[in-house]
């Protein structure tokens, strides 16, 4: 029985050592060399100056700006190769450096002369040019794209839909993911914190029961017909 109790105590100690250590926290935004904030909605403007009437374009939703000067109400930011401003209240600051901060989206513009040239072979009646998309701009009921080509920035009419993959690294885990993690063993094969706690409780309860059983058990009396010699 003593060996059994020793084994249980050893098992409890082993469970305690198996308890996972606290996860290492991501460095806070103040300690990072580069601080980023995401545009969590589809109406976050990028401004050329810290003024409400100086909006250049609307940032692509779920993409980031790098914070150059954290101030309020406007932060100085960088997006791709453009430096400007965003309203601090429109941004969601993160405590990590995103793997895909800016949207890299190039597409081809095509220009064609309606009636063509009446002189020459018409080689340049249709021209194509690749531009980099920065964001959208609303002008009345029309939508324009703010683009860059060869270091020059300008607006072009919206001629096609810009479809891109959204970032999700700033979103909190969904409740379904949390439930799945709690109900199933971890993919790494290690016990979860809840499972280890249950094992420790069961082991402790077993030791307690064994202790009280042994304590209440009376030693057996040895009967002998012969009297001991004094």
């Amino acid at each position: 029985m003593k060996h059994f109790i020793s084994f249980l105590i050893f098992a409890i100690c082993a469970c305690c050592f198996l308890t996972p250590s606290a996860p290492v926290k991501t460095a806070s935004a103040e300690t990072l060399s580069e601080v980023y904030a995401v545009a969590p909605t589809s109406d976050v403007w990028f401004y050329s100056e810290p003024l409400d009437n100086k909006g250049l374009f609307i940032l692509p939703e779920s993409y980031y700006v790098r914070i150059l000067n954290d101030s309020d109400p406007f932060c100085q930011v960088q997006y791709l190769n453009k430096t400007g401003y965003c309203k601090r209240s429109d941004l969601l600051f993160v405590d990590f450096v995103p793997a895909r901060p800016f949207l890299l989206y190039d597409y081809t513009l095509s220009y064609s002369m309606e009636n063509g040239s009446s002189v020459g072979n018409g080689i340049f009646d249709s021209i194509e040019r690749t531009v980099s998309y920065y964001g959208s701009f609303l002008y009345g009921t029309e939508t324009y794209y703010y683009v860059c080509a060869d270091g020059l920035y300008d607006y072009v009419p919206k001629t096609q839909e810009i479809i891109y993959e959204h970032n999700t690294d700033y979103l909190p885990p969904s409740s379904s993911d949390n439930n799945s993690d709690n109900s199933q063993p971890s993919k790494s094969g290690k016990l979860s914190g809840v499972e280890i706690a249950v094992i420790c409780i069961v082991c402790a309860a077993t030791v307690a029961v064994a202790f009280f059983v042994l304590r209440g058990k009376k030693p057996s009396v040895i009967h002998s017909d012969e009297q001991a010699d004094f």
Side-chain angles (χ1 to χ4, degrees), residues 83-195:
T83 301
Y85 299 85
C86 285
K87 287 187 177 181
R88 197 182 198 283
S89 59
D90 292 341
L91 300 172
L92 176 63
F93 281 68
V94 297
D95 59 356
F96 59 88
V97 176
R100 187 175 55 182
F102 311 129
L103 175 62
L104 304 178
Y105 193 105
D106 294 342
Y107 72 102
T108 302
L109 289 175
S110 299
Y111 296 94
S112 299
M113 299 178 62
E114 293 184 1
N115 300 321
S117 177
S118 57
V119 180
N121 298 321
I123 297 175
F124 300 110
D125 289 352
S126 178
I127 299 176
E128 292 185 345
R129 188 174 187 180
T130 300
V131 297
S132 297
Y133 170 80
Y134 272 62
S136 301
F137 181 85
L138 305 178
Y139 185 76
T141 60
E142 301 294 327
T143 299
Y144 290 80
Y145 291 153
Y146 190 75
V147 299
C148 176
D150 301 326
L152 301 176
Y153 300 88
D154 207 347
Y155 298 97
V156 296
K158 175 184 175 181
T159 57
Q160 66 182 71
E161 289 291 338
I162 302 297
I163 301 175
Y164 58 88
E165 183 180 0
H166 284 59
N167 285 319
T168 59
D169 49 2
Y170 67 96
L171 298 175
S174 63
S175 57
S176 59
D177 292 340
N178 290 335
N179 293 335
S180 175
D181 292 341
N182 291 334
S183 60
Q184 297 180 1
S186 61
K187 293 182 180 180
S188 62
K190 296 182 180 179
L191 295 176
S192 66
V194 175
E195 292 170 333

Side-chain angles (χ1 to χ4, degrees), residues 9-149:
I9 294 175
F10 173 78
I12 293 174
C13 294
C15 290
C16 294
F17 282 113
L18 288 174
T19 303
S21 58
V24 178
K25 292 184 178 180
T26 306
S28 63
E30 290 77 6
T31 61
L32 293 175
S33 58
E34 297 181 356
V35 179
Y36 288 85
V38 67
T41 59
S42 59
D43 57 355
V44 178
W45 280 88
F46 183 99
Y47 299 84
S48 60
E49 298 179 30
L51 298 171
D52 288 332
N53 61 347
K54 294 296 183 178
L56 276 181
F57 58 91
I58 299 174
L59 289 167
E61 183 179 357
S62 81
Y63 282 83
Y64 296 80
V65 290
R66 181 184 174 188
I67 304 298
L68 302 179
N69 184 14
D70 185 3
S71 56
D72 197 24
F74 286 90
C75 293
Q76 187 179 25
V77 300
Q78 176 187 346
Y79 180 76
L80 289 172
N81 295 325
K82 196 74 176 175
T83 301
Y85 299 85
C86 285
K87 287 187 177 181
R88 197 182 198 283
S89 59
D90 292 341
L91 300 172
L92 176 63
F93 281 68
V94 297
D95 59 356
F96 59 88
V97 176
R100 187 175 55 182
F102 311 129
L103 175 62
L104 304 178
Y105 193 105
D106 294 342
Y107 72 102
T108 302
L109 289 175
S110 299
Y111 296 94
S112 299
M113 299 178 62
E114 293 184 1
N115 300 321
S117 177
S118 57
V119 180
N121 298 321
I123 297 175
F124 300 110
D125 289 352
S126 178
I127 299 176
E128 292 185 345
R129 188 174 187 180
T130 300
V131 297
S132 297
Y133 170 80
Y134 272 62
S136 301
F137 181 85
L138 305 178
Y139 185 76
T141 60
E142 301 294 327
T143 299
Y144 290 80
Y145 291 153
Y146 190 75
V147 299
C148 176

